[in-house]
């Protein structure tokens, strides 16, 4: 039984030009992923700011007596 030796490398050999193109693609992808992560974090911060209860305004009657959930702070 003759088994062919298995190639232990991770893939085909690339020319120096192909390797440079591959490295450029990977660098562009890494930069795009970092930019995407920054955008997603900024979106999450914006959403968090929008969902945080705002401080009560003085124009709303009794606003300072209310809990952020809208319930009165005073006990019955």
């Amino acid at each position: 039984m003759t088994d062919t030796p298995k190639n232990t490398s991770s893939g085909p050999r690339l020319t120096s030009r192909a390797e440079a193109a591959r490295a450029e693609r990977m660098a562009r992808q890494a930069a795009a992923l970092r930019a995407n992560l920054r955008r997603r974090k900024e979106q999450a911060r914006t959403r968090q700011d929008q969902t945080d209860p705002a401080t009560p305004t003085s124009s709303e009657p009794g606003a300072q007596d209310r809990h952020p959930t809208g319930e009165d702070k005073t006990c019955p």
Side-chain angles (χ1 to χ4, degrees):
M1 182 158 122
T2 59
D3 288 312
T4 58
K6 293 183 179 182
N7 189 357
T8 58
S9 68
S10 62
R13 287 194 171 234
L14 299 175
T15 64
S16 60
R17 188 195 223 161
E19 184 63 37
R22 181 177 170 270
E24 286 178 28
R25 272 194 313 275
M26 291 183 74
R28 284 192 311 267
Q29 182 183 25
L33 288 170
R34 282 191 300 273
N36 187 30
L37 180 61
R38 267 188 236 113
R39 280 192 306 270
R40 288 190 345 222
K41 283 185 175 185
E42 184 60 34
Q43 282 178 341
R45 285 186 202 111
T46 303
R47 288 182 187 141
Q48 183 66 33
D49 290 345
Q50 290 174 354
T51 60
D52 282 345
T55 57
T57 61
S58 59
S59 64
E60 186 179 340
Q64 59 273 17
D65 295 332
R66 288 200 192 124
H67 189 270
T69 61
E71 299 174 6
D72 285 339
K73 286 183 182 178
T74 58
C75 295

